[in-house]
Amino acid sequence: MTEVIRMRAIEKRFPGVHALRSAEFDLMTGEVHALMGENGAGKSTLMKILAGIYIPDGGSVEVNGAAVHFSGPRAAQAMGIGIIHQELALMPDLTVAQNIFIGREPRNRWGVLDEAQLNRDAEAIFAAMKVPLDPRAEVRKLTIAKQQMVEIAKALSFRSRVLIMDEPTAALNEAETEELFAIIRRLKSEGVAIVYISHKMDEIRRISDRVTVMRDGAYVGTVAAADTPIETIIAMMVGRELDKTAAAIPDLTAAPVALSVRGLRAGRLVRDVGFDLRRGEILGFAGLMGAGRTEVARAIFGADPREAGEIAVHGQPRSIRSPRDAVAAGIGYLSEDRKHFGLALGLDVRGNIALTVLDRFSDRFLRVDDAALAKAAASYISSLAIRTPSDRQEVRLLSGGNQQKVVIAKWLLRDCDILIFDEPTRGIDVGTKAEIYRLLNDLAAAGKAIIVISSELPEVLRLSHRIAVMCEGRLTGILPGGPACSQQEIMRLATQRETTQEGASA
Amino acid sequence: MTASAATPAKRGRFGSGAQQKILAFASLIVLLVFFSVASPNFLQTANVLAILQATSVNGVLAIAATLVIITGGIDLSVGTLMTFTAVIAGVVLTYWGLPMPLGIVAAIAAGAGCGFISGSLVARMKIPPFIATLGMMLILKGLSLVISGTKPIYFNDTPNFPLLSTGSLVGALFPGLPVPNGVVILFLLALAISWVLNRTILGRYCFALGANEEAVRLSGVNADGWKVTIYALCGGICGIAGLLIASRLNSAQPALGLGYELDAIAAVVIGGTSLAGGRGSILGTIIGALIMSVLLNGLRILSVAQEWQTVVTGIIIIAAVYADMLRRRRAG
């Protein structure tokens, strides 16, 4: 094995974020090298630099011992470096073969596209991968797993010697993951070097040779995958020995039930979901991508049509057909995509906080009572510690964490007792995360009933009093939270596919 | 969905959105049958030729607009660009008295040049297409008036110029079939651009940009450069439309042009090209343009007031897009 990639002292800044601070990374031929770190640790940024998508602000990149300065993705491809993006970068309206060879279409001698050659070339790649896929199929009609295969084929078509996979199994089921691993092993045996970014510990142990951990944009260390305990890797990621400081679990057996859901059904991803949520409780929702957690929230909130199910709020059955009904019942939903659904980015803090309750701040001539508005805004800015120069600051100029607080203020002002947080800390830096956690705990302590949906297991573990785990639209179990809760047990429930379950119960 | 999944290979020949095209084609047939029954004059050869002749300018503009719309953009300047190129032809042929081929080249080159500017504004300066081409639309309207001194330029020194559109080469060969040249040009252009869309890289990037521009860029393709090329091609085709209309009127009318862009976009949309980009076809656009002119011609023959013709056109556009959305929702 020889070294193909050596990255040293890589620096990268984005407006307001120091994304990479002296990051480093090495890669050998024929190895699978896992790159790990919490969300926002800089893994994807580092790999985008390697793939020529970002230009580093400082540091050196060497390929086969020679320093390189990529001007763009094409330059990296020419050096045999291919990347498979986390969000698949495919053109859904084009066929498989057209996607693979975009930018390098075979042409006949009059410069006309040679579609037959295109399809033959694609077929050859799939034959080498031993994956049966029709090059003529339109990409939008493929499953996510198949689309992933297209991305891999595309990367291989550059004769890539280095293949970067950014969370390739995030949307794959077990069988598909096995298929992918088989391909990875085959590539590895052919000497291809593979960078494997993933959050899934068991996968890392199974597929990778070495693990490099990053934290807050910096290099932490590189260890052998086989003989390093998972706890050590996690400790490297979070910067401390496994944080067992889960919130103290209050005794809520006497607390009244705030939200009761029974037999909820909505489409493929909400199948007979039922649970109770008590006042003062934080119920975490865990599961893999596509498990249906967001869909459950949207069905409760009336954002998606419901096929069946009863919802009772404070013991009263409520008919919730639209978000309006849900808000009237005191349910608030904080979407994972703040920018699209939660905030009017061009409006100031005051305007956003009051957006949905403007009628409360206006008289019968519809004149806005600015003084009262300012007072309300000021009280939330101080109670939630929103860091903003003034309440007239445009929300788009605030950091992600402070934007999230503005959304929270908005819902609190509407007197919602039940708050559903969908990925509350996505895109928020580590420091502010802790603050959001504290805020959620305070809200629960004040008697709000809270649901937290999160893809980050540590987050769910740290926040939840109880943890509901979903798999493929079914609620596969509710575990008690706290230090006793095991990550393994959650993963077992999160991967409890229907067939396995039947097999187990038989 | 399974039915269309089984025939992905056909996509290359007909482009995507085959169902919407069938729908549009069926609507066209229904209109033709309806008007033939309602009025005996409708299917007369002279009237059919009039419909085709009326389609030629809007059809050519719609072909130009289709290219840009497939990339996910929009070009609001096609109408006034058409006028501008007609004025340029007038300047070259009448003011300067140069031979006709030079006027033709000048008009098309002027169109391509303006398209190049629009494309650069969109691709390089990242100005939203709606705004960039809205600005271009006004600039060209103004320039046409300035250059022509707000007066029409007549092509009296170039007696052959009107034949460009209204003459009939086909008629000369087959006396029973006096198809005007304008119509022949429309269909030849449709064939050519259809071929470009489905058989050349330019076309491939049109669809790819509309489907996922970021993915194109990440694939190492010079996305901006291709976008500029596509807008320039669109502009060049507008130059052909400018020649057709100037030839038909035997004059460059500098005040004309505003509103043509909306008719062109309407034809594109009725023909099933998605305003969101990524899918569309020239065949659909031609059917869309025909639907619009058949409708106008038929309503006129039935003596429906012109005001109401406009109302009906509006309803047709909304209905066409709604039908497309319904179909797509069913397909999932």
Side-chain angles (χ1 to χ4, degrees), chain A residues 86-355:
Chain A
Q86 194 171 359
E87 285 106 21
L88 296 177
L90 293 171
M91 287 139 283
D93 299 307
L94 269 52
T95 69
V96 168
Q98 288 169 351
N99 262 286
I100 291 175
F101 291 103
I102 186 79
R104 300 164 296 143
E105 292 79 2
R107 280 173 280 176
N108 64 22
R109 81 189 104 116
W110 296 287
V112 178
L113 287 179
D114 190 343
E115 201 76 13
Q117 184 63 42
L118 183 76
N119 290 329
R120 273 198 302 278
D121 290 352
E123 246 154 30
I125 294 173
F126 286 124
M129 282 169 69
K130 298 191 175 57
V131 172
L133 245 180
D134 180 6
R136 293 169 198 84
E138 215 173 307
V139 162
R140 72 162 67 246
K141 293 183 176 130
L142 303 179
T143 62
I144 299 287
K146 290 275 187 292
Q147 294 188 9
Q148 193 117 48
M149 300 302 167
V150 176
E151 281 273 24
I152 294 174
K154 181 174 168 183
L156 292 179
S157 72
F158 289 101
R159 308 190 189 291
S160 295
R161 302 307 295 162
V162 173
L163 198 52
I164 303 162
M165 299 186 176
D166 197 348
E167 301 213 36
T169 59
L172 302 191
N173 65 32
E174 243 168 285
E176 292 164 340
T177 302
E178 285 312 314
E179 228 176 288
L180 176 71
F181 280 6
I183 291 173
I184 290 178
R185 290 199 185 96
R186 203 145 51 222
L187 292 172
K188 185 179 148 169
S189 69
E190 289 159 13
V192 176
I194 292 166
V195 184
Y196 191 91
I197 301 180
S198 176
H199 287 298
K200 300 183 186 169
M201 289 291 175
D202 54 328
E203 283 180 6
I204 300 286
R205 293 297 289 269
R206 284 183 50 204
I207 196 76
S208 62
D209 304 303
R210 290 194 295 165
V211 181
T212 287
V213 177
M214 293 181 69
R215 187 172 66 234
D216 300 337
Y219 174 82
V220 175
T222 302
V223 295
D227 44 52
T228 309
I230 285 175
E231 287 71 26
T232 311
I233 295 176
I234 293 179
M236 288 166 75
M237 281 167 57
V238 297
R240 54 197 173 269
E241 276 301 322
L242 190 52
D243 190 5
K244 291 277 188 187
T245 57
I249 311 290
D251 181 16
L252 292 166
T253 41
V257 172
L259 174 72
S260 168
V261 177
R262 289 289 176 273
L264 188 67
R265 285 178 178 277
R268 205 171 46 83
L269 286 175
V270 183
R271 303 187 334 201
D272 198 15
V273 170
F275 62 89
D276 285 333
L277 174 67
R278 291 176 187 277
R279 292 194 54 175
E281 182 177 39
I282 300 180
L283 177 64
F285 266 77
L288 302 177
M289 208 163 104
R293 296 163 299 161
T294 295
E295 286 74 9
V296 166
R298 290 179 59 92
I300 293 173
F301 192 60
D304 291 333
R306 210 163 45 234
E307 286 146 25
E310 284 113 54
I311 294 172
V313 175
H314 301 308
Q316 302 287 319
R318 302 290 295 239
S319 154
I320 295 173
R321 289 209 185 77
S322 67
R324 248 179 100 96
D325 295 341
V327 172
I331 302 175
Y333 173 60
L334 291 82
S335 138
E336 58 186 313
D337 194 343
R338 289 186 294 277
K339 292 195 175 145
H340 279 136
F341 305 113
L343 287 171
L345 289 176
L347 275 183
D348 57 20
V349 174
R350 185 197 292 182
N352 266 288
I353 291 180
L355 198 55

Side-chain angles (χ1 to χ4, degrees), chain A residues 53 73-74 77 85 89-94 98 102-103 105 107 112-113 115 118 134 136-138 140-141 154, chain B residues 1 4-5 8-9 11 195 198-201 204-205 207-208 211-212 215-221 277-279:
Chain A
I53 295 163
R74 179 150 273 187
Q77 283 162 1
H85 296 275
L90 293 171
M91 287 139 283
D93 299 307
L94 269 52
Q98 288 169 351
I102 186 79
E105 292 79 2
R107 280 173 280 176
V112 178
L113 287 179
E115 201 76 13
L118 183 76
D134 180 6
R136 293 169 198 84
E138 215 173 307
R140 72 162 67 246
K141 293 183 176 130
K154 181 174 168 183
Chain B
M1 183 176 156
S4 48
R11 207 185 151 276
W195 181 83
N198 292 315
R199 282 275 170 265
T200 68
I201 326 190
R204 178 64 42 82
Y205 292 153
F207 287 106
N212 188 347
V216 176
R217 196 159 282 137
L218 291 178
S219 302
V221 174
R279 38 182 64 207

